[in-house]
Amino acid sequence: MATINITDKFSKDKPSIQIGEKKYPVNNSVEAVMKFEEMAGDGSIKALLSSIEEILGKEAFAEIGVMKLPVSDVKVLMLGVMAAMQDLPYEEAAARFQQ
Protein backbone atom coordinates (compact mmCIF):
# COMPACT_ATOMS: atom_id res chain seq x y z
CA MET A 1 0.00 0.00 0.00
CA ALA A 2 1.36 3.45 -0.95
CA THR A 3 2.02 6.20 1.54
CA ILE A 4 0.99 9.63 0.44
CA ASN A 5 2.94 12.30 2.30
CA ILE A 6 0.89 15.47 2.61
CA THR A 7 3.06 17.15 5.24
CA ASP A 8 4.19 19.93 2.90
CA LYS A 9 0.61 20.58 1.75
CA PHE A 10 -0.54 21.93 5.11
CA SER A 11 -0.54 25.69 5.50
CA LYS A 12 2.01 27.02 7.92
CA ASP A 13 0.86 30.61 7.54
CA LYS A 14 -1.69 32.12 9.87
CA PRO A 15 -3.96 34.82 8.48
CA SER A 16 -4.03 38.25 10.02
CA ILE A 17 -5.80 41.56 9.73
CA GLN A 18 -3.91 44.83 9.70
CA ILE A 19 -5.06 48.02 11.39
CA GLY A 20 -2.61 50.86 10.92
CA GLU A 21 0.88 49.43 11.33
CA LYS A 22 -0.24 46.61 13.63
CA LYS A 23 -1.11 43.09 12.45
CA TYR A 24 -3.43 40.89 14.47
CA PRO A 25 -3.40 37.12 13.93
CA VAL A 26 -6.74 35.50 13.18
CA ASN A 27 -7.48 32.04 14.55
CA ASN A 28 -8.73 30.12 11.53
CA SER A 29 -8.83 26.64 13.04
CA VAL A 30 -11.93 24.61 12.24
CA GLU A 31 -12.87 24.67 15.91
CA ALA A 32 -12.60 28.47 16.12
CA VAL A 33 -14.47 29.05 12.86
CA MET A 34 -17.32 26.75 13.93
CA LYS A 35 -17.61 28.57 17.24
CA PHE A 36 -17.44 31.93 15.40
CA GLU A 37 -20.26 30.92 13.06
CA GLU A 38 -22.38 29.65 15.94
CA MET A 39 -21.91 32.79 18.01
CA ALA A 40 -22.24 35.28 15.12
CA GLY A 41 -25.27 33.41 13.79
CA ASP A 42 -27.21 34.56 16.84
CA GLY A 43 -27.52 37.96 15.17
CA SER A 44 -27.19 40.02 18.35
CA ILE A 45 -24.45 42.62 18.73
CA LYS A 46 -23.33 40.87 21.93
CA ALA A 47 -22.86 37.59 20.06
CA LEU A 48 -21.09 39.40 17.23
CA LEU A 49 -18.64 41.01 19.64
CA SER A 50 -18.05 37.71 21.45
CA SER A 51 -17.32 35.98 18.15
CA ILE A 52 -14.78 38.66 17.16
CA GLU A 53 -13.11 38.34 20.56
CA GLU A 54 -12.97 34.56 20.16
CA ILE A 55 -11.20 34.79 16.80
CA LEU A 56 -8.80 37.64 17.62
CA GLY A 57 -8.20 36.91 21.30
CA LYS A 58 -8.92 39.05 24.35
CA GLU A 59 -5.69 41.05 24.12
CA ALA A 60 -6.17 42.08 20.47
CA PHE A 61 -9.86 42.76 21.10
CA ALA A 62 -8.96 45.16 23.91
CA GLU A 63 -6.04 46.74 22.04
CA ILE A 64 -8.20 47.46 18.99
CA GLY A 65 -10.81 48.97 21.31
CA VAL A 66 -13.65 47.08 19.69
CA MET A 67 -16.15 48.08 22.40
CA LYS A 68 -15.61 51.77 21.61
CA LEU A 69 -15.87 51.44 17.83
CA PRO A 70 -18.94 52.64 15.95
CA VAL A 71 -21.17 49.79 14.79
CA SER A 72 -20.22 50.54 11.16
CA ASP A 73 -16.53 49.96 12.01
CA VAL A 74 -17.38 46.74 13.85
CA LYS A 75 -18.98 45.56 10.59
CA VAL A 76 -15.76 46.39 8.72
CA LEU A 77 -13.77 44.49 11.36
CA MET A 78 -16.13 41.52 11.13
CA LEU A 79 -15.78 41.39 7.35
CA GLY A 80 -11.99 41.60 7.66
CA VAL A 81 -11.96 38.72 10.12
CA MET A 82 -14.24 36.65 7.88
CA ALA A 83 -12.02 37.37 4.87
CA ALA A 84 -8.89 36.35 6.78
CA MET A 85 -10.47 33.14 8.07
CA GLN A 86 -11.48 32.12 4.55
CA ASP A 87 -8.32 33.42 2.83
CA LEU A 88 -10.36 35.81 0.66
CA PRO A 89 -9.78 39.41 -0.36
CA TYR A 90 -11.80 41.83 1.79
CA GLU A 91 -13.91 42.93 -1.17
CA GLU A 92 -14.93 39.36 -1.99
CA ALA A 93 -15.93 38.66 1.61
CA ALA A 94 -17.94 41.90 1.65
CA ALA A 95 -19.73 40.93 -1.57
CA ARG A 96 -20.57 37.47 -0.19
CA PHE A 97 -21.86 38.96 3.05
CA GLN A 98 -24.20 41.29 1.15
CA GLN A 99 -25.81 38.29 -0.54
Side-chain angles (χ1 to χ4, degrees):
M1 180 162 279
T3 299
I4 308 299
N5 186 345
I6 60 170
T7 304
D8 294 338
K9 306 292 184 209
F10 288 117
S11 172
K12 293 171 183 61
D13 297 327
K14 288 289 181 188
S16 63
I17 57 169
Q18 184 171 340
I19 302 173
E21 298 298 316
K22 179 81 177 184
K23 288 186 179 181
Y24 299 95
V26 173
N27 183 351
N28 67 338
S29 69
V30 171
E31 179 180 50
V33 172
M34 287 174 53
K35 190 169 185 180
F36 177 85
E37 288 177 347
E38 179 182 321
M39 293 169 79
D42 175 288
S44 71
I45 190 69
K46 184 176 181 178
L48 175 67
L49 293 171
S50 293
S51 62
I52 292 172
E53 184 177 38
E54 179 72 27
I55 291 296
L56 294 178
K58 291 181 187 299
E59 187 177 317
F61 186 88
E63 187 175 307
I64 293 167
V66 177
M67 296 299 289
K68 297 193 185 291
L69 292 175
V71 173
S72 60
D73 288 350
V74 172
K75 181 179 176 183
V76 170
L77 179 60
M78 178 72 142
L79 287 170
V81 167
M82 289 171 47
M85 286 188 309
Q86 297 177 30
D87 194 26
L88 296 172
Y90 177 88
E91 292 74 19
E92 186 174 336
R96 286 184 183 186
F97 183 73
Q98 296 303 325
Q99 297 174 357

